[in-house]
Structures are given as C-alpha cells and as structure tokens.
Amino acid sequence: MFDNQATGKKLSRRGRTAAVATSVGAALLAVGIGMTPAAADAASPSRVATAPAARSAAPGLGSDNLIQSDDFFQQGLTPVGATVDLTGKQALSACSGETTMRTLTKESASAYAGVTWTFDSSGSFLTESVADGSTDASAVSYENRLNKAVRGCQNEPAGHWYYGQGHALTVPAGEGTWYPAFNGDGKVTGGVAVIRGGHRFGIVELVGQPSDDPGYMKGMAATAINRLTD
C-alpha cells in the first residue's frame, strides 16, 4: 500500500467523489478520446465543454491509449464527458489516496496519460491513469506495487466499502488483474483493475454499478489493456 491508514482511505474516496462532482458541474472536456464535440453537446449541452484534441504523436503514449467513449456502451454505460490529463498528476484510485502516477514512479516514467469519465447516471465515474515504464521489467515492478495497494483494501471493517477477490486476466495485448468493489452493504458498486501491456502499465477504477454482474470489470480491463498497447 501507499502508507495510507484505513480512515484516511475512506475520507480520500469521499473527497475524490465530491471533487469529481464539482468539476463536472464546472466543465468537462471531450477531447481526443473518441467523443466528438457534437456527440458530447447532444449528451449534455450545459455540462460538456469542447476543446482541441490532446493527443500525443505516435508512437508515444497519449490519450489514444486510454479507454474511448465507444468502449462503454457494451458495459451498459453512457458517457457524457471526460477530463484528460497527460501530466501524471491524477489520483490513481480510492485505495491509493492522493498518490499519483507521477509520485508512484518518482517522475521517472517516459510518458503519462489519464482520464476521468462521467456518465449519465448520477454518482458514476471512471478514472484511468497509465504510464510508460520504458522497460518491461520496470512496468512489471509498478504493476506489482499497484496490485499490492489494491489488495490492501480487501479487508475492511464492517460497514466500509472494500475490494473483492482479484481475478487474473490475459489477452493477446497484455495482462491485468480486476477486482469488484462493494459498498458497506455488500452490494457491487464498480471495481478496479491493474493493467500492463509490455512496458506500459496503469490502473482503472469504476465507481458506480452498470449492472448486477461484477464481471463487467473484466470487460473494462480487457478493453483498457488493448487500448494501452495500440
């Protein structure tokens, strides 16, 4: 874990949820990740701002390697906007507190990319943060650290949210481990996945419940791995 106490983790998650809600109320950028300005405006004309695409030149890591708007529909989610970050300063997950990809890698990664997606269902959002570790060995090391952090939130006091059992996933483009998330009542409410493809790695977290089947996180993880290595 990233040296977070249990109480701090719960406060962090609530704080991040509130922060995302506040930023949504201000403005969201539908940039460079598969949502055209026209589609975004039609989905939520008062809440989605448009901006030039924030893409990096191939073959570098950029917004092209993040989950795209078209990837959500088969999971029962309807995106309305996204905020892209290419600096590595986005918080990784609820379990890791305020740790960012830049702090995790001590600014040693060759590139960073991240996004926060919001959906038409209240309180639901997805965060993704990825980095280029330059070598497969370094990516594996960070993958292991991220999994260790997530597993630190599997055993929580009664009434607290927690992550469930990890499930390994291998696709031609890479590998990952996905975990369902449960609220204090034990109901499925999203999940998290640690992903890696070659020397690129990252973490994806969904807050909210598109269906009663926690297996939707498996599909999100596979999609994220495939995008990461494109």
Side-chain angles (χ1 to χ4, degrees):
M1 294 199 56
F2 299 114
D3 299 324
N4 290 289
Q5 298 298 320
T7 301
K9 289 181 294 183
K10 307 306 173 301
L11 292 175
S12 174
R13 182 165 195 151
R14 288 195 293 268
R16 285 189 57 217
T17 303
V20 170
T22 299
S23 65
V24 170
L28 291 168
L29 302 181
V31 295
I33 46 178
M35 178 175 282
T36 64
D41 290 341
S44 182
S46 64
R47 292 167 56 193
V48 181
T50 60
R55 296 176 181 267
S56 62
L61 177 69
S63 59
D64 291 18
N65 303 112
L66 301 169
I67 293 176
Q68 308 292 304
S69 60
D70 291 345
D71 298 328
F72 292 113
F73 297 110
Q74 62 182 340
Q75 305 299 332
L77 294 165
T78 302
V80 297
T83 301
V84 175
D85 172 70
L86 301 180
T87 67
K89 295 181 179 180
Q90 174 180 268
L92 294 179
S93 73
C95 190
S96 63
E98 299 306 312
T99 300
T100 67
M101 193 63 77
R102 185 171 289 275
T103 56
L104 173 71
T105 61
K106 296 182 179 180
E107 302 188 0
S108 63
S110 60
Y112 301 93
V115 63
T116 297
W117 278 100
T118 56
F119 308 103
D120 62 350
S121 52
S122 176
S124 296
F125 61 92
L126 178 140
T127 57
E128 180 181 14
S129 184
V130 300
D132 192 327
S134 299
T135 67
D136 289 6
S138 65
V140 170
S141 176
Y142 290 123
E143 176 189 16
N144 291 337
R145 290 188 61 184
L146 288 170
N147 274 307
K148 182 179 180 180
V150 169
R151 289 167 186 152
C153 286
Q154 289 179 316
N155 299 308
E156 297 291 333
H160 290 178
W161 69 271
Y162 64 96
Y163 294 134
Q165 180 182 355
H167 303 270
L169 171 67
T170 301
V171 297
E175 64 181 33
T177 306
W178 65 272
Y179 308 76
F182 300 88
N183 63 20
D185 296 326
K187 296 181 179 179
V188 178
T189 176
V192 65
V194 176
I195 59 174
R196 185 181 68 84
H199 48 80
R200 294 175 177 176
F201 63 95
I203 186 168
V204 182
E205 180 161 34
L206 174 65
V207 174
Q209 181 184 11
S211 76
D212 292 328
D213 179 9
Y216 51 68
M217 274 309 302
K218 178 179 180 180
M220 294 305 308
T223 296
I225 295 169
N226 289 329
R227 292 288 189 185
L228 183 63
T229 55
D230 283 348

